[in-house]
């Protein structure tokens, strides 16, 4: 059974650019959550999608957005990148919305220069 | 809002010794998770604890949950070097939290020969 797949694994972007990260959940899982991990702030919740609907959002500026497609794949977008956006972005999938165990992908390491 | 605190944040152990990581949370959490993270890697699910008094064991790790005290513990028995990693606990506030997990700061465990 394939796990959660995140692409790309590594990205280097320049300040002011935008970036799109992708997450394919485990087959049959309909909930996808995104987290940002930094040494200073730890693991912080970005947003969660279930059946193409955003059900919950963390305390991040509007530059951070996401969406989910009908096949449950999800993308997150960060516009006008800042140095502080450098982080490991983790995607988690679960079968239902907040009701079951969450499995994490390998993450996308974003570096903003 | 659910807050999760772990202690200690750093734990240096000798092989063969026992120790406990504590995870306190601030408000009702309908389940408690423990994850392991190796450097540069994603989060590996260790345990999901669903009810008061729940105890789960896997190898040298045992996790328990006391919902009345709002406390979960991860006990390490006869530590070995392979257990060196960062351990996170995470709570789920239930209700409209949907897929949102709130993580503790993480405990960096180093096991020395």
């Amino acid at each position: 059974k394939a796990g959660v797949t995140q692409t790309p694994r590594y990205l280097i972007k320049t300040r002011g650019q935008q970036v799109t990260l992708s997450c394919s959940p485990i087959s049959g899982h309909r909930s996808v959550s995104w987290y940002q991990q930094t040494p200073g702030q730890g693991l912080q919740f970005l947003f969660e999608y279930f059946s193409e609907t955003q059900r919950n959002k963390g305390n991040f500026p509007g530059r951070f957005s996401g969406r989910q497609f009908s096949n449950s794949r999800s993308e997150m977008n960060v516009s006008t990148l800042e140095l502080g956006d450098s982080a490991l972005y983790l995607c988690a999938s679960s079968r239902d919305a907040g009701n079951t165990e969450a499995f994490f992908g390998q993450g996308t390491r974003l570096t903003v220069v | 809002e659910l807050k999760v605190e772990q202690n200690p944040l750093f734990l240096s152990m000798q092989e063969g010794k026992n120790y406990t990581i504590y995870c306190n949370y601030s408000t009702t959490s309908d389940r408690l998770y423990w994850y392991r993270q190796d450097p540069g890697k994603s989060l590996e699910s260790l345990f999901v604890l669903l009810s008061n008094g729940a105890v789960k064991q896997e190898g040298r790790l045992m996790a328990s949950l006391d919902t009345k005290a709002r406390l979960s513990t991860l006990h390490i028995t006869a530590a070995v070097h392979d257990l060196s990693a960062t351990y996170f606990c995470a709570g789920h506030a239930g209700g409209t939290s949907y897929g949102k997990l709130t993580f503790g700061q993480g405990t960096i465990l180093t096991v020395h020969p």
Side-chain angles (χ1 to χ4, degrees):
Chain A
K1 188 175 182 180
V4 181
T5 304
Q6 290 188 245
T7 56
R9 292 290 311 278
Y10 303 92
L11 267 178
I12 300 176
K13 290 285 188 179
T14 305
R15 272 181 300 176
Q17 288 186 312
Q18 75 165 21
V19 68
T20 299
L21 312 181
S22 179
C23 172
S24 293
I26 292 169
S27 178
H29 286 196
R30 297 165 64 192
S31 172
V32 173
S33 302
W34 289 89
Y35 294 82
Q36 181 197 64
Q37 185 176 27
T38 59
Q41 299 298 316
L43 280 152
Q44 293 187 288
F45 173 78
L46 281 156
F47 25 65
E48 187 251 359
Y49 288 88
F50 180 79
S51 292
E52 303 178 67
T53 300
Q54 186 183 89
R55 301 293 291 268
N56 206 342
K57 190 177 191 307
N59 294 325
F60 279 82
R63 301 184 297 106
F64 291 81
S65 63
R67 59 179 175 169
Q68 187 180 33
F69 302 95
S70 58
N71 62 357
S72 295
R73 190 177 71 86
S74 177
E75 288 181 347
M76 66 163 280
N77 183 276
V78 188
S79 62
T80 319
L81 283 165
E82 301 176 0
L83 295 180
D85 297 333
S86 295
L88 179 66
Y89 289 89
L90 292 164
C91 161
S93 88
S94 58
R95 191 172 299 279
D96 296 315
N99 202 24
T100 54
E101 189 170 1
F103 297 89
F104 283 80
Q106 292 298 308
T108 294
R109 172 76 62 185
L110 171 65
T111 303
V112 182
V113 297
Chain B
E1 182 181 336
L2 176 64
K3 293 191 192 313
V4 179
E5 288 193 357
Q6 288 178 237
N7 72 84
L9 300 185
F10 300 92
L11 181 51
S12 181
M13 297 178 63
Q14 269 192 307
E15 280 190 333
K17 299 291 188 183
N18 305 334
Y19 210 83
T20 301
I21 300 171
Y22 298 88
C23 175
N24 291 91
Y25 53 96
S26 60
T27 65
T28 301
S29 176
D30 67 355
R31 69 195 78 106
L32 199 293
Y33 299 82
W34 284 95
Y35 287 92
R36 168 183 171 146
Q37 186 177 40
D38 291 297
K41 305 288 188 182
S42 186
L43 298 172
E44 174 191 354
S45 178
L46 295 174
F47 302 107
V48 182
L49 303 167
L50 299 177
S51 60
N52 187 44
V55 177
K56 290 194 174 181
Q57 182 160 9
E58 181 73 33
R60 300 175 189 274
L61 300 178
M62 183 175 71
S64 66
L65 179 63
D66 181 343
T67 58
K68 292 187 174 70
R70 294 180 183 161
L71 171 69
S72 180
T73 60
L74 180 66
H75 186 74
I76 303 153
T77 302
V80 293
H81 179 70
D82 285 352
L83 290 179
S84 296
T86 301
Y87 293 85
F88 291 94
C89 64
H92 183 267
T96 57
S97 294
Y98 300 113
K100 177 182 178 180
L101 296 181
T102 300
F103 283 85
Q105 310 95 308
T107 297
I108 300 175
L109 170 65
T110 306
V111 181
H112 299 283

